[in-house]
Amino acid sequence: MALLDAYLKPLTADQVTFLLRRATFGPTAGQVREFTGQTASDILKKMLADQPAPNPPLDSATGKSFHDQPFDVVNAGKFTGYIKNWWANLMLNQPVSLLEKMTLFWSNHFVVTDVAVNDYRYVYQYNALLRHHALRNFKAFTIAITQDPAMLRFLNGNQNVAGTANENYARELQELFTIGRNGGYTEDDVRAAAKVLTGWTDTGYRSPASAAIGSTFRANRHDTSDKTFSPAYQNAVVKGRSGANAGIDELNDLLTIILRQAETPRYICRKLYRWFVNSDIPAEVETNFIQPLADLFQKGNFEIKPVLTALFQSQHFYDESLRGAVIKSPVDLVVGTFRFWGLQAPDAVANPTAFYQIGNYIYGRVKEQQQDLLNPPTVFGWTAYHQTGYYQQWINSTTLGLRGSFGDMVTTGALKLNGKPAVDVLAYVKNLSDPSDPARLVDELTGQLLAILPTQPQKDFLTDTILLGSIPRYEWTLEWNDYVRSPNVAAKKQAVQMKLTAFLQYIFRMAEFQVM
Amino acid sequence: MTALTQAMKQTRRHFLQSAASSLVLPVLIDGYGAKAFARPSSFIQSLLGLADQNDRVLVIIQLQGGNDGLNTVIPLDQMGVYTSPGFRGNIAISEAKALKLKNYAGTGLHPAMTGMQQLFNDGKLSIVQGVSYPTPNFSHFRASDIWMTAVDADKTSASGWTGRYLDKRFPGYPNSYPTGKMPDPPALQIGYVTSTALLGPTDAMTIVLQNPDTFARLVGETPKDPLSTIPGYAGRQIEYIRQQQASSVRYAGQIKTAAGLGMNRAKYPDKNALGDQLKIIARLISGGLQTKVYYLTMGGFDNHANQVVATDTSTGTHANLLKILSDAVLAFQNDLTQLKVDDRVVGMTFSEFGRRAISNGSLGTDHGTSAPMFVFGNAIKSPLVGRNPNLSDLNNNNLKMQTDFRQVYAAILTDWLQTDADTETATLFKDFPVAPVFRQTVTALEPVVSDARLYPNPASAGVVLESEWLRQGVKSVQVTDLQGRFLSVQTSRPTPTTLQFTVANLPAGSYVLRVETAPGMLTKRMVVVH
């Protein structure tokens, strides 16, 4: 089997669930039903369809946008929080689309941290840039991010001038953003690239007087000499230029050189693979999946959509041995759980309080579970995608406790978001095909919630021991029907609700629930 | 605490307890053994509170599914009705096979319960007869919730009685814990799902070990049944997460330490899952874990069919369950004795309901109401509280209630865990007379207080108790019938010197009213006629 060949069969419900868990922040049961029976190719067309740019975050006190105003030092912390909460809500409310998960991918790739940048307007513009380019062209994206004011500050591109080069960005551009540390480039190449990149600076940083922020090329600070690269880059030369267009023209040349190396598209494709598919890349996958995908990327002039299409409709992606290979990131866990239960953030203009309550709750959970949005721990991104152990980096005794208490919190109904319980267990169970049959209830619930389907003995255990506490199954039927007949009798409601809550809390704490 | 101060505190506590007992006035009761005592006054309670009492432990065993009380504790005084074909002739235990109880010829135990028979005869087991609550519920889930949350049948609560008690005792748990005084978890449950009984107002007051294997993994022993392994990538991730989960059980270090210091001395029965769990608890207690409450669950009691084997009703599913329970509890008690921690531990069993008095046609029993509870330990004072249920006085084929389960909880909270009256009331949502499990049975008549008047007597609707003593407030009210059963009556205070009882709902008969006031106990006999 050629791993990258398209999987042409209509997808089963399990396959749809798998696809949506990996490629988005997870489906609702209704979305799984909607897409079951469609081919991966059909579903991907929807997932890659253009989305309108989201409305910017608003100050809930004034109802006005703040990213396009002069810097407000007093409210800077609050506005930074708004941006993170707003982004969390974009993930939550995202229709079936790859856009926000790719935006998050790029924030883990072209890393900038809000703490280092320290101007919320820069952070917003950076995040908007990631979203704008997330599904477009990688070369144009890299050119844009190089000039992004947040990136210029974060990796000191704004201090890189002729005569006293700052090599920071030139190094990371190669080591992390394009060709990767195994690309064979040398220290001389870092120095040469730094010269190419001289002259750029950001404008309007933390300015209380000016709303305008951006970047500019200062021709007089640009190194106009010819830049000669090592044999790793075929001794290529970027011809020295002067004048207003020197910076962009030389940047374009530099990226042309880097992107034509065979390793560059492979490096990006491996990162996508580790983000979406599996951390382990055995030789067979490297040869028969990464390489052809990289070829496709390069031949397609680094357009991103064809790569994602090929990846998510490949036969390899639907290989069952990959089910459960990825440990859910905190965002996958928290946003995915809420999406599954149908929680949506309300309109930010009509109900700013509830909008930020929800965004803030999500953001608080993912932050405490070690995935602070817009603030990865290092320029390498979150350790779960590059360090030995990979996804297991998300798991330790503290984060397991926090994951568990998150599950406890949302299932008791005590957590009210926008005035309603975040998870309405009874409403959900009522919509299952036959909630009066405990075995079917468990079968369906675990089928929807767990990536690794339990074996029959496990299902029996979940039914008889966890849900029913060793009471015979027909007793559940009686209790459930009793409740359905008198849904407003508190005692009857509580009888089934407490069982279901305890059951869900158990499921949420299962190791199997942590993988996808 | 040094051994010397510990000993001094022990002595002080024992002194205070006997002091409290000596102040208690005996009350009129017939020969059946269920006796009422006044709750120690608040003065005595506050003295008791001075002594450090953090060494007492409660073990709760939940019998899931509704245990058949009538085939557990056999009414030897009513065998004619009990074994009759229209009653439960198809499943009845024969008089010849029932186990006899010392000093209580009218009551027997299921033949599988030799262990609990021995404990009873040694004075270490109390049988509380006919435990239920007004307007009992027949739903497993709802009835379990009522028992675990300790609410009236028409109320609901999201917290459990033990959880509320522990929350009062360890305020701020879990966020402000562990502390130097309480380095250990307030409660430890062996089970898969946190018991409702252990839910506090905001947090579960327990840590949960899933099963003995989890314990084994935690303390570094080999689990009996390693978890089934999942192959491939997912298996690697899941194995990693499970390993992290085992090592991140809260208080893992404390539990490991206690397990390392503790031991077992008695032999436990083989292939007895309850025994395996009690064995862990004995080891942890002997190892110094300061946990107050241990909680275990045993399932399988919902036997609508084939609870007995037709050819020998002393065998079958129910007999097997009772044997497991009885053997495990005996081994546990023996172990505690040999480990010399038996003075610190009391255990209790409960089930969400008993079963229908009259059996069904499938060699089984359907959901019922009242049933006996077992309380075990050295602290037991009354072997039998209440009497055998009256098989000729049923309510829709169900046994009538004698003792509210919250009276037993009140006994555990007050007499065993020695909570003050306010905490006890807050834990149980109202004040319940204490079932005399831990109080000596007496048969003497209480001296009648002369300055109190009761009128009219006989009464049919209302009766008024009048006394100057009532001016200083009423601490507790108990109404018992001549069998020693507690009855619930409504009271009101028309004037500062009177207390009015509504007795219209009481069956005709003789009763004893006991009202505790600050100056002393008011006790009156009352006759109800209709």
Side-chain angles (χ1 to χ4, degrees):
Chain A
M1 174 184 93
L3 298 181
L4 200 56
D5 283 0
Y7 184 83
L8 300 171
K9 287 187 214 159
L11 298 190
T12 65
D14 283 349
Q15 288 171 322
V16 169
T17 306
F18 177 71
L19 170 64
L20 295 185
R21 275 198 189 116
R22 294 294 187 93
T24 77
F25 295 107
T28 63
Q31 286 164 344
V32 173
R33 277 194 295 276
E34 180 188 344
F35 290 110
T36 298
Q38 299 188 22
T39 62
S41 158
D42 287 341
I43 301 170
L44 275 159
K45 283 191 190 96
K46 293 195 180 76
M47 294 174 71
L48 290 167
D50 288 337
Q51 301 288 331
N55 293 323
L58 304 175
D59 179 352
S60 88
T62 63
K64 297 206 169 80
S65 61
F66 50 83
H67 71 284
D68 50 1
Q69 301 298 315
F71 187 73
D72 177 349
V73 69
V74 175
N75 288 306
K78 182 173 88 171
F79 291 155
T80 305
Y82 281 153
I83 294 169
K84 296 181 180 209
N85 299 347
W86 164 85
W87 191 15
N89 281 344
L90 288 178
M91 297 180 199
L92 180 68
N93 285 10
Q94 171 96 111
V96 174
S97 166
L98 264 155
L99 182 60
E100 289 303 329
K101 196 146 201 185
M102 279 302 288
T103 304
L104 187 64
F105 169 84
W106 292 118
S107 87
N108 185 59
H109 181 79
F110 292 124
V111 170
V112 160
T113 71
D114 73 280
V115 175
V117 170
N118 209 12
D119 180 335
Y120 55 86
R121 303 169 306 165
Y122 276 44
V123 172
Y124 169 75
Q125 183 167 315
Y126 157 77
N127 181 255
L129 181 89
L130 297 183
R131 186 171 296 101
H132 176 80
H133 288 282
L135 300 174
R136 294 174 198 236
N137 183 281
F138 180 73
K139 185 177 180 187
F141 194 174
T142 310
I143 288 171
I145 200 82
T146 303
Q147 303 165 62
D148 177 71
M151 183 62 86
L152 282 169
R153 289 202 84 85
F154 183 63
L155 291 178
N156 314 108
N158 61 342
Q159 296 165 27
N160 182 26
V161 292
T164 54
N166 185 310
E167 296 170 1
N168 197 2
Y169 185 78
R171 180 183 305 280
E172 307 303 14
L173 173 68
Q174 296 171 83
E175 180 179 336
L176 298 174
F177 299 167
T178 55
I179 194 169
R181 71 184 86 174
N182 298 324
Y185 61 89
T186 66
E187 283 300 304
D188 286 341
D189 292 324
V190 172
R191 279 189 278 278
K195 288 181 184 168
V196 170
L197 295 164
T198 47
W200 293 98
T201 194
D202 60 305
T203 57
Y205 182 62
R206 289 173 74 91
S207 168
S210 164
I213 56 167
S215 60
T216 185
F217 178 72
R218 298 162 301 176
N220 60 338
R221 312 303 296 271
H222 182 64
D223 186 325
T224 57
S225 65
D226 288 350
K227 292 88 182 175
T228 305
F229 289 83
S230 75
Y233 290 122
Q234 300 85 38
N235 305 310
V237 176
V238 171
K239 192 177 166 341
R241 294 172 173 87
S242 56
N245 291 328
I248 193 78
D249 290 345
E250 287 192 32
L251 173 58
N252 196 37
D253 284 0
L254 171 64
L255 285 173
T256 301
I257 295 166
I258 297 175
L259 294 187
R260 75 172 179 234
Q261 307 305 317
E263 180 61 11
T264 303
R266 283 200 298 259
Y267 174 74
I268 301 299
C269 288
R270 276 190 219 108
K271 269 195 120 166
L272 286 167
Y273 188 86
R274 290 207 164 99
W275 183 259
F276 285 113
V277 187
N278 193 11
S279 59
D280 186 32
I281 304 182
E284 202 223 342
V285 170
E286 174 69 29
T287 309
N288 295 325
F289 191 85
I290 299 295
Q291 185 62 58
L293 194 62
D295 292 345
L296 188 153
F297 195 23
Q298 205 163 37
K299 283 188 193 124
N301 293 317
F302 290 89
E303 285 297 324
I304 295 163
K305 282 184 184 179
V307 173
L308 294 173
T309 301
L311 188 156
F312 287 115
Q313 69 177 26
S314 69
Q315 297 191 5
H316 176 60
F317 181 73
Y318 297 97
D319 184 335
E320 296 217 342
S321 73
L322 294 170
R323 295 274 174 90
V326 176
I327 294 175
K328 290 174 183 168
S329 72
V331 172
D332 286 317
L333 182 82
V334 175
V335 177
T337 299
F338 282 142
R339 283 171 65 92
F340 178 80
W341 298 95
L343 178 75
Q344 293 279 283
D347 183 81
V349 176
N351 194 349
T353 308
F355 178 84
Y356 280 120
Q357 183 208 14
I358 291 174
N360 190 45
Y361 184 81
I362 294 173
Y363 171 64
R365 299 293 77 71
V366 301
K367 184 184 181 204
E368 73 187 2
Q369 292 172 27
Q370 305 305 308
Q371 193 174 20
D372 189 359
L373 298 179
L374 291 166
N375 194 25
T378 70
V379 68
F380 295 89
W382 287 295
T383 56
Y385 302 102
H386 63 80
Q387 218 165 71
T388 308
Y390 290 97
Y391 319 126
Q392 293 176 0
Q393 299 282 339
W394 292 128
I395 301 296
N396 58 47
S397 55
T398 303
T399 57
L400 270 178
L402 292 168
R403 283 172 180 237
S405 67
F406 165 70
D408 291 354
M409 187 70 102
V410 297
T411 47
T412 57
L415 175 66
K416 299 248 189 334
L417 294 173
N418 196 11
K420 287 178 299 209
V423 171
D424 186 339
V425 179
L426 281 171
Y428 168 74
V429 168
K430 272 184 185 164
N431 279 328
L432 296 179
S433 64
D434 183 5
S436 71
D437 177 344
R440 282 186 69 181
L441 186 158
V442 168
D443 204 39
E444 274 179 73
L445 237 165
T446 52
Q448 293 181 2
L449 285 171
L450 302 177
I452 301 298
L453 295 183
T455 59
Q456 194 53 47
Q458 274 180 302
K459 283 182 194 171
D460 291 342
F461 169 79
L462 288 170
T463 308
D464 296 323
T465 305
I466 302 303
L467 179 64
L468 298 179
S470 85
I471 288 162
R473 294 181 182 186
Y474 61 82
E475 301 279 14
W476 169 269
T477 308
L478 299 175
E479 303 265 2
W480 177 265
N481 291 338
D482 244 16
Y483 156 65
V484 171
R485 269 192 299 274
S486 324
N488 298 320
V489 177
K492 294 184 187 215
K493 183 177 172 188
Q494 196 187 30
V496 289
Q497 186 164 26
M498 287 188 106
K499 289 279 167 199
L500 288 168
T501 298
F503 176 75
L504 271 187
Q505 291 183 344
Y506 183 85
I507 297 274
F508 279 21
R509 283 177 182 270
M510 282 175 75
E512 287 87 339
F513 185 70
Q514 308 301 330
V515 300
M516 64 178 189
Chain B
M1 195 186 310
T2 66
L4 181 62
T5 56
Q6 174 93 49
M8 286 168 67
K9 287 203 171 181
Q10 291 277 357
T11 312
R12 176 176 174 76
R13 185 179 320 146
H14 286 152
F15 163 73
L16 289 171
Q17 277 162 1
S18 48
S21 304
S22 68
L23 293 180
V24 171
L25 302 170
V27 76
L28 170 142
I29 288 295
D30 70 354
Y32 275 99
K35 311 307 160 217
F37 268 76
R39 180 180 291 173
S41 72
S42 49
F43 170 67
I44 294 297
Q45 279 297 348
S46 63
L47 284 181
L48 286 167
L50 294 175
D52 184 22
Q53 279 140 24
N54 65 7
D55 62 346
R56 287 194 169 183
V57 169
L58 172 66
V59 179
I60 301 175
I61 302 174
Q62 181 191 359
L63 309 179
Q64 254 171 349
N67 179 38
D68 183 10
L70 214 42
N71 266 25
T72 304
V73 178
I74 316 295
L76 297 178
D77 58 348
Q78 300 165 74
M79 290 306 271
V81 181
Y82 172 71
T83 60
S84 65
F87 204 82
R88 46 168 67 197
N90 59 341
I91 63 164
I93 303 296
S94 72
E95 184 163 4
K97 291 203 167 163
L99 302 177
K100 306 294 182 285
L101 297 177
K102 194 164 106 185
N103 298 334
Y104 293 85
T107 302
L109 283 178
H110 188 284
M113 303 176 73
T114 51
M116 287 178 112
Q117 178 196 31
Q118 186 183 327
L119 289 177
F120 185 96
N121 291 343
D122 290 347
K124 293 180 180 173
L125 177 72
S126 178
I127 301 171
V128 187
Q129 294 270 34
V131 188
S132 183
Y133 50 92
T135 327
N137 195 292
F138 296 89
S139 145
H140 285 288
F141 303 159
R142 178 60 194 150
S144 301
D145 289 343
I146 290 169
W147 274 82
M148 294 197 276
T149 59
V151 290
D152 289 342
D154 60 349
K155 305 262 180 10
T156 57
S157 165
S159 62
W161 73 280
T162 325
R164 289 192 295 272
Y165 158 69
L166 291 169
D167 182 62
K168 291 231 179 291
R169 180 147 185 148
F170 304 108
Y173 179 87
N175 292 338
S176 318
Y177 287 80
T179 65
K181 269 187 159 171
M182 187 52 176
D184 299 331
L188 192 153
Q189 181 190 352
I190 301 182
Y192 293 94
V193 175
T194 305
S195 165
T196 303
L198 293 164
L199 298 178
T202 54
D203 286 280
M205 300 300 294
T206 188
I207 63 147
V208 180
L209 294 179
Q210 294 213 328
N211 53 33
D213 288 341
T214 312
F215 175 79
R217 260 197 300 279
L218 182 61
V219 302
E221 292 167 2
T222 313
K224 273 194 210 159
D225 305 308
L227 282 165
S228 60
T229 47
I230 296 164
Y233 291 118
R236 255 176 264 168
Q237 308 293 26
I238 285 167
E239 185 51 40
Y240 178 79
I241 295 167
R242 283 179 181 160
Q243 177 200 325
Q244 288 291 310
Q245 282 170 335
S247 60
S248 61
V249 169
R250 249 191 312 165
Y251 293 102
Q254 292 295 111
I255 294 168
K256 256 178 109 156
T257 304
L261 294 171
M263 63 186 81
N264 298 107
R265 291 198 190 278
K267 180 166 164 44
Y268 283 80
D270 288 335
K271 294 186 181 142
N272 184 317
L274 185 68
D276 291 345
Q277 297 174 37
L278 286 168
K279 188 175 175 181
I280 292 171
I281 291 171
R283 180 167 158 196
L284 293 175
I285 293 171
S286 79
L289 200 70
Q290 293 181 40
T291 293
K292 295 297 294 176
V293 177
Y294 295 87
Y295 193 100
L296 308 172
T297 301
M298 178 179 173
F301 286 89
D302 190 31
N303 295 305
H304 289 269
N306 301 315
Q307 72 176 63
V308 301
V309 173
T311 49
D312 180 355
T313 57
S314 68
T315 63
T317 310
H318 192 229
N320 296 340
L321 291 167
L322 293 177
K323 180 171 170 55
I324 288 168
L325 171 67
S326 169
D327 289 356
V329 169
L330 176 68
F332 180 60
Q333 190 63 38
N334 286 341
D335 203 11
L336 296 176
T337 305
Q338 292 175 47
L339 292 164
K340 301 196 192 320
V341 292
D342 47 336
D343 281 339
R344 289 181 44 210
V345 182
V346 149
M348 60 166 263
T349 68
F350 80 96
S351 195
E352 63 265 42
F353 39 63
R355 306 195 76 83
R356 201 73 48 82
I358 296 178
S359 59
N360 64 27
S362 323
L363 298 175
T365 43
D366 297 322
H367 299 181
T369 54
S370 69
M373 280 176 82
F374 295 114
V375 186
F376 58 89
N378 282 5
I380 296 302
K381 294 277 167 51
S382 291
L384 204 58
V385 177
R387 56 182 299 187
N388 291 334
N390 185 344
L391 303 188
S392 307
D393 180 22
L394 302 182
N395 183 2
N396 274 333
N397 290 343
N398 277 312
L399 304 171
K400 289 188 173 170
M401 158 187 152
Q402 299 178 50
T403 296
D404 193 300
F405 68 99
R406 290 163 293 188
Q407 293 178 248
V408 182
Y409 292 176
I412 301 237
L413 289 168
T414 310
D415 293 349
W416 179 243
L417 297 171
Q418 300 189 302
T419 38
D420 61 70
D422 289 346
T423 303
E424 186 231 305
T425 306
T427 301
L428 300 180
F429 295 127
K430 46 173 135 165
D431 199 11
F432 287 92
V434 172
V437 175
F438 305 102
R439 299 178 182 189
Q440 224 121 41
T441 297
V442 291
T443 52
L445 262 172
E446 183 169 3
V448 174
V449 179
S450 56
D451 72 337
R453 295 201 302 132
L454 188 73
Y455 55 87
N457 196 6
S460 56
V463 61
V464 173
L465 178 73
E466 185 173 0
S467 166
E468 279 298 312
W469 288 9
L470 292 170
R471 280 188 190 281
Q472 296 179 44
V474 173
K475 289 185 172 178
S476 71
V477 174
Q478 293 179 0
V479 178
T480 51
D481 66 12
L482 291 185
Q483 282 77 48
R485 291 180 288 205
F486 294 95
L487 297 148
S488 155
V489 293
Q490 284 198 326
T491 61
S492 60
R493 295 295 305 276
T495 71
T497 57
T498 56
L499 180 64
Q500 178 164 327
F501 297 80
T502 305
V503 298
N505 296 329
L506 294 181
S510 289
Y511 298 88
V512 177
L513 298 181
R514 304 178 59 258
V515 177
E516 188 190 3
T517 67
M521 183 68 66
L522 300 170
T523 304
K524 284 285 183 186
R525 263 206 221 224
M526 168 180 77
V527 176
V528 173
V529 291
H530 290 302

